[in-house]
Amino acid sequence: MTVAEVQRSSFLTRRIERIEVSATMAVAADAEKLRAAGADLVDLGPGEPHFPTPEHIKEAGIAAIRGNFTKYTAVGGTTELRDAIVQRHAADFGSGYTRDQCIASVGGKHALFNAVQVLVEHGDEVVIPVPYWVSFKDIVRYAGGEPVYVATDEGRDFALTTEMVERAITPRTKVILLNSPNNPSGAVMTPADLTAVLKLAHERGIYVISDECYVYLNHTGHKLSAGCVHDVKDRLIIIGSLSKTYAMTGWRLGYALAPAPIVSAMVKLQSQSTSNPTSIVQKAAVAALSGSQDCVRKMLEGYIVLRDQLVAGLRAIPGITCSAPNGAFYAYPNLSHYFGRGGMNCASDVARRLLHEAHVVVVPGEGFGTREHVRISYATSQETLARGLQRMREFFAAL
Ligand SMILES: Cc1ncc(COP(=O)(O)O)c(C=O)c1O
């Protein structure tokens, strides 16, 4: 049976028909074809650190294998790991979660998936600020929920305020999904805006899922978790991940911090799907969370240098505007100035031509909910960024 036949067939469930393959994958597939044909691409597409996993974390994983820590563990992670997660969070954000309010999962995406599955019922609305990470809407739809999109203020670096959120709330709103620092824009909510949205949601009996996978990649010098805000915790689910913080994307270790009954429901769901995250990865995660955090600081310093180089380079290209990315490792420039030139009318058109003519890989904004922007990752070397910027300058100058 061909892929097209499978897609047309009716034996697949409605819930799988409701979702799409990640938009970022289409770009990667196109780039792969060109690369296989011998093209020298500057790849600014990937959503992962270019740094290797720090040595002491790798060593802990190797020691776990050698020490035969290779059996099933508790579904939601070992006591040692859950303690390490809540202690790290308490040390960094003064949050005070307990072990039974913590579950370790197979990546932050898995923790988010579990949280949405246990909270969102058919017909429930989930407020999602735009631009959003590609998977949010599909995870919500898979659960039967309806995404309700909220525009943010690009002029103020994609700021999200209570007024914007409030307009989107209806009696069916079950969850508000926050993501600060944001993928794809790099936007970071101010403490005042974050606190106000959390308090608004709490007053209205709405849950907040705060995706904090980039919480340690905050360039403002003041990293901020929703867990810092008091008196809202009974409606708050924090999603964390070791992927970006410790350059561990392939290891697959994320977590959620939430009220114990929500964590129990997530553990129940996880017990019927993946069971525990990989045992040896849990040992590596303990080393990451409990060891020296110097590696995190060093990587953050590196990202800030790269961010400044990319943003300055983009802003120097006539017609391109770029909001300030204050966290994560992406810039999200607005390219609409060039729409109408050379047959380009949306971000996908620009990304396609950048790929095929300039051999620069970027991710078009459509997958993130906007059609004027592309996402450019600066998790790469300064040389690669310089080459990418040079090619983009020449591409846009020739239009
Ligand atoms: C906003 C956001 N949340 C969650 C994730 C999931 O990361 P992981 O599953 O690797 O922990 C990502 C990864 O790109 C992300 O950008």
Side-chain angles (χ1 to χ4, degrees):
M1 197 181 266
T2 65
V3 172
E5 279 166 340
V6 170
Q7 279 167 350
R8 272 199 306 276
S9 65
S10 57
F11 63 83
L12 296 173
T13 59
R14 284 203 207 121
R15 61 183 178 278
I16 196 65
E17 302 283 12
R18 278 199 295 269
I19 66 173
E20 295 162 5
V21 177
S22 165
T24 45
M25 284 189 184
V27 183
D30 247 17
E32 205 35 58
K33 273 191 217 144
L34 276 180
R35 205 176 274 121
D40 165 32
L41 301 183
V42 173
D43 195 351
L44 305 178
E48 61 181 341
H50 58 304
F51 297 109
T53 304
E55 280 309 312
H56 69 287
I57 301 175
K58 292 196 277 198
E59 287 304 329
I62 292 164
I65 296 175
R66 295 214 189 282
N68 296 318
F69 192 73
T70 51
K71 303 288 201 298
Y72 293 133
T73 74
V75 168
T78 59
T79 309
E80 183 190 29
L81 174 58
R82 281 177 295 138
D83 284 351
I85 293 170
V86 297
Q87 280 162 17
R88 177 82 269 139
H89 209 268
D92 293 333
F93 302 110
S95 54
Y97 283 98
T98 54
R99 188 189 296 157
D100 63 338
Q101 296 171 323
C102 174
I103 173 176
S105 298
V106 187
K109 187 188 267 188
H110 184 212
L112 176 68
F113 185 90
N114 286 344
V116 171
Q117 283 294 327
V118 306
L119 282 175
V120 175
E121 195 54 271
H122 278 264
D124 284 347
E125 291 179 351
V126 177
V127 173
I128 301 179
V130 180
Y132 47 76
W133 180 45
V134 282
S135 293
F136 288 163
K137 67 176 184 349
D138 295 289
I139 290 175
V140 167
R141 282 197 192 130
Y142 192 72
E146 288 174 26
V148 174
Y149 300 112
V150 174
T152 54
D153 186 352
E154 182 174 2
R156 289 196 303 125
D157 299 331
F158 295 102
L160 176 73
T161 62
T162 42
E163 292 72 37
M164 296 168 186
V165 173
E166 196 157 16
R167 281 198 291 274
I169 291 176
T170 77
R172 291 200 291 152
T173 308
K174 182 70 181 284
V175 172
I176 298 168
L177 223 173
L178 300 180
N179 174 218
S180 173
N182 178 272
N183 176 4
S185 70
V188 172
M189 288 184 80
T190 64
D193 285 339
L194 177 61
T195 306
V197 172
L198 287 167
K199 293 217 182 282
L200 169 73
H202 195 259
E203 273 163 34
R204 304 287 180 92
I206 297 168
Y207 290 89
V208 171
I209 299 180
S210 183
D211 179 333
E212 303 189 356
C213 288
Y214 296 92
V215 77
Y216 290 99
L217 303 187
N218 181 324
H219 309 331
T220 67
H222 304 283
K223 57 182 184 294
L224 174 72
S225 165
C228 300
V229 179
H230 297 292
D231 305 326
V232 296
K233 290 224 176 65
D234 56 326
R235 298 267 173 202
L236 174 64
I237 298 90
I238 292 174
I239 305 295
S241 171
L242 276 66
S243 288
K244 324 282 174 169
T245 313
Y246 300 102
M248 289 179 74
T249 45
W251 296 71
R252 313 307 302 132
L253 203 293
Y255 58 86
L257 300 169
I262 295 178
V263 165
S264 293
M266 291 170 69
V267 171
K268 181 161 74 170
L269 177 60
Q270 190 161 299
S271 78
Q272 300 299 1
S273 55
T274 59
S275 291
N276 60 274
T278 307
S279 58
I280 55 180
V281 172
Q282 293 190 56
K283 283 286 185 192
V286 170
L289 294 160
S290 315
S292 161
Q293 301 299 294
D294 279 354
C295 56
V296 181
R297 271 188 291 278
K298 280 200 192 106
M299 287 190 271
L300 180 60
E301 280 164 23
Y303 287 130
I304 291 174
V305 172
L306 292 160
R307 188 262 322 245
D308 291 346
Q309 180 187 352
L310 176 61
V311 172
L314 287 171
R315 287 180 178 163
I317 299 175
I320 292 186
T321 55
C322 186
S323 62
N326 283 321
F329 40 62
Y330 311 104
Y332 202 55
N334 186 317
L335 308 176
S336 56
H337 173 81
Y338 288 96
F339 290 178
R341 298 200 200 175
M344 298 189 301
N345 290 307
C346 61
S348 291
D349 291 344
V350 182
R352 199 175 314 111
R353 287 197 50 186
L354 271 174
L355 174 63
H356 288 277
E357 295 168 35
H359 287 175
V360 176
V361 187
V362 299
V363 185
E366 281 88 345
F368 307 106
T370 73
R371 53 185 296 285
E372 296 87 16
H373 309 81
V374 295
R375 189 191 76 177
I376 304 183
S377 167
Y378 52 85
T380 188
S381 67
Q382 285 179 273
E383 297 70 40
T384 304
L385 267 192
R387 284 204 307 141
L389 282 165
Q390 172 68 19
R391 289 182 186 191
M392 283 191 271
R393 259 194 305 277
E394 286 166 8
F395 172 80
F396 287 109
L399 286 175

